[in-house]
Amino acid sequence: MTERIAFPGSSSRLSRAVTGCGLALGVGVLCVLSAIGIAARQQSSAPVTTIDVDTVGPKVGDALLEFSLRDQTGQLRSLKSLLGPNGAVIVFFRSADW
Amino acid sequence: MELAAISYDSVATLADFAMRRGISFPLLSDAGSNTIKRYGILNTTIDPKNELYGYPFPGTFIVDRQGIVTSRVFEPIYQERSTIASILVRLGRQIDAPATKVAGAHVELTSYATDQVATLGTHLSLVLDVRPAPKVHVYAPGASSYKPVRLALDAQPGLIVRSAQLPRPEDYFFKPLNEHVPVYQHPFRIVQDVMLDPSRDGSAALKDVTSITITGTFEYQACDDAVCFPPQGIPLSWSIGVKPLDRERAKPR
């Protein structure tokens, strides 16, 4: 008495590829092929050094180096002083000004 | 979890920015870029004579209470940035976000977006928690002959659909047919990454837009140990506020 209804003609697993292309700050063409998780950047003019950003900086398992930096109020903050019971999220960003 | 953000701006610039944007978490000034250099994340593709020289490859470290890196995210394209909430969800952590519950045939869904507001280039995630009814399983990607689960988002200008994260399925052995099929029979989570398209076309599509509604369908087929039910689709939607890129600069001093 077992009945299994298989789905007819099922499962194209390939999801729709969404492609966005456009000028990136006037220096090249930015294309994002998202469905397959590939992001490619092409420079149309002078060659540029490409760096694999996954290889820069501290790795998983490394201890972040201690620092002592002033916050927006002028107070000195160390990494140690920022660590809570659940640790911390430390974000490096390009600039708050441009 | 504590949060701090480091850049090479002066304290005065950071103070101005924090005031304009109502930021209360620490913004740390690494003027001179010594910490950025010591961390080995200085953007070395910039000519030292360039007035902007000294900024880092933008990235995020998540550290434990001892300061050991437990995960890190560096974006290969600087115009694009994952939100902290999206990073945390992809790491399996819990976040606070307003969620919607939907009851479907043989499944219960809880769904939310990691972020309620985004800008061009923002990577955020749509989260779908799926709870199969007792003794019910649904099919995982890779199952042939059955309709596997899929969150199918509707295309719209300005929206880039990125990768989806699904957990490893369980193997289900169905003796009458002597078949092994990948399934989910316990609560599981789909994390679907999306982005507001920062390209020229995306910017044009999102110009003067203050919010977008992302729509899609959760597709699945449920079976119990005796009967397979017809494939189903549950419509879903998420509203995301759209804010323009911040092009303000600190006041000249």
Side-chain angles (χ1 to χ4, degrees):
Chain A
M1 289 303 290
T2 301
E3 186 187 25
R4 303 280 287 188
I5 303 170
F7 178 69
S10 71
S11 73
S12 166
R13 290 180 58 207
L14 185 64
S15 56
R16 189 168 41 242
V18 182
T19 306
C21 288
L23 286 177
L25 295 185
V27 295
V29 178
L30 173 72
C31 291
V32 181
L33 300 175
S34 60
I36 49 176
I38 292 176
R41 191 172 169 193
Q42 301 171 347
Q43 296 290 338
S44 57
S45 53
V48 293
T49 315
T50 54
I51 291 197
D52 179 359
V53 293
D54 286 333
T55 66
V56 303
K59 307 285 180 289
V60 170
D62 290 349
L64 283 194
L65 295 172
E66 186 52 276
F67 53 71
S68 181
L69 299 170
R70 293 195 188 279
D71 68 16
Q72 65 268 41
T73 70
Q75 187 188 341
L76 274 175
R77 304 277 199 139
S78 64
L79 172 65
K80 196 175 174 187
S81 72
L82 292 165
L83 298 173
N86 294 317
V89 177
I90 307 293
V91 178
F92 282 87
F93 66 109
R94 286 156 57 99
S95 174
D97 192 32
W98 47 265
Chain B
M1 206 162 192
E2 311 304 314
L3 169 66
I6 302 173
S7 67
Y8 75 161
D9 300 303
S10 67
V11 169
T13 294
L14 295 178
D16 187 286
F17 181 69
M19 191 176 65
R20 274 187 282 130
R21 295 284 148 184
I23 292 171
S24 55
F25 62 82
L27 299 174
L28 304 181
S29 167
D30 185 30
S33 307
N34 278 331
T35 298
I36 289 167
K37 287 174 186 164
R38 283 198 302 127
Y39 272 54
I41 56 174
L42 177 75
N43 188 327
T44 47
T45 67
I46 306 303
D47 186 334
K49 294 193 211 64
N50 187 316
E51 61 173 323
L52 299 181
Y53 177 78
Y55 62 82
F57 293 111
T60 298
F61 296 98
I62 297 178
V63 298
D64 65 15
R65 58 196 301 179
Q66 268 83 42
I68 309 292
V69 178
T70 56
S71 52
R72 42 168 280 162
V73 179
F74 275 72
E75 306 281 1
I77 300 174
Y78 69 85
Q79 294 93 336
E80 301 178 16
R81 216 59 58 83
S82 292
T83 67
I84 301 293
S86 170
I87 292 172
L88 291 175
V89 158
R90 279 183 271 154
L91 293 171
R93 312 247 187 148
Q94 299 297 322
I95 63 160
D96 285 330
T100 304
K101 286 187 187 298
V102 182
H106 313 288
V107 295
E108 277 180 14
L109 306 181
T110 305
S111 129
Y112 59 89
T114 52
D115 297 83
Q116 277 59 63
V117 180
T119 191
L120 302 185
T122 299
H123 292 182
L124 65 154
S125 301
L126 307 176
V127 180
L128 189 61
D129 285 328
V130 183
R131 176 183 290 273
K135 298 185 177 168
V136 161
H137 54 265
V138 296
Y139 292 95
S144 54
S145 306
Y146 302 99
K147 177 81 174 173
V149 295
R150 176 173 176 241
L151 180 55
L153 297 185
D154 301 323
Q156 64 173 291
L159 178 71
I160 300 278
V161 178
R162 303 177 74 240
S163 60
Q165 176 183 301
L166 286 89
R168 184 185 299 273
E170 297 175 60
D171 179 69
Y172 182 82
F173 178 58
F174 188 60
K175 200 169 177 187
L177 292 178
N178 194 31
E179 65 176 8
H180 288 269
V181 199
V183 302
Y184 300 112
Q185 48 192 341
H186 301 289
F188 67 99
R189 168 172 287 184
I190 299 175
V191 180
Q192 172 68 61
D193 291 350
V194 297
M195 175 173 69
L196 297 191
D197 184 357
S199 74
R200 192 175 49 182
D201 289 350
S203 306
L206 295 170
K207 188 171 183 292
D208 302 324
V209 169
T210 55
S211 81
I212 63 166
T213 300
I214 302 172
T215 56
T217 305
F218 173 60
E219 301 170 351
Y220 68 102
Q221 184 176 18
C223 301
D224 61 21
D225 53 10
V227 176
C228 264
F229 306 102
Q232 301 280 328
I234 299 177
L236 297 164
S237 70
W238 303 262
S239 286
I240 311 291
V242 178
K243 66 178 177 185
L245 287 168
D246 178 357
R247 298 194 185 280
E248 286 183 271
R249 299 197 63 168
K251 291 185 204 75
R253 296 174 297 280

